[in-house]
Amino acid sequence: MVFSTGIAPAVMEIAIIAGVSFHAFLISMLIFLVVGWLLAQGVLSEANYSINVT
């Protein structure tokens, strides 16, 4: 989490210099958020399953 917070300004600057529109950047952040949420749901359901089995 600290790494992603620290690297975010550099990624944003590179995107601005490369000419990426802010709208495209927001869509890419939304996609990143959804993928992370889906991955977390898999981990949480597995943890819930292991708690219920024992």
Side-chain angles (χ1 to χ4, degrees), residues 23-39:
H23 187 257
F25 196 72
L26 286 177
I27 290 174
S28 66
M29 287 191 291
L30 177 64
I31 291 169
F32 183 74
L33 177 74
V34 169
V35 169
W37 181 78
L38 289 171
L39 289 172

Side-chain angles (χ1 to χ4, degrees), residues 33-53:
L33 177 74
V34 169
V35 169
W37 181 78
L38 289 171
L39 289 172
Q41 292 305 309
V43 171
L44 291 173
S45 67
E46 185 177 315
N48 189 27
Y49 176 75
S50 66
I51 289 172
N52 290 335
V53 169

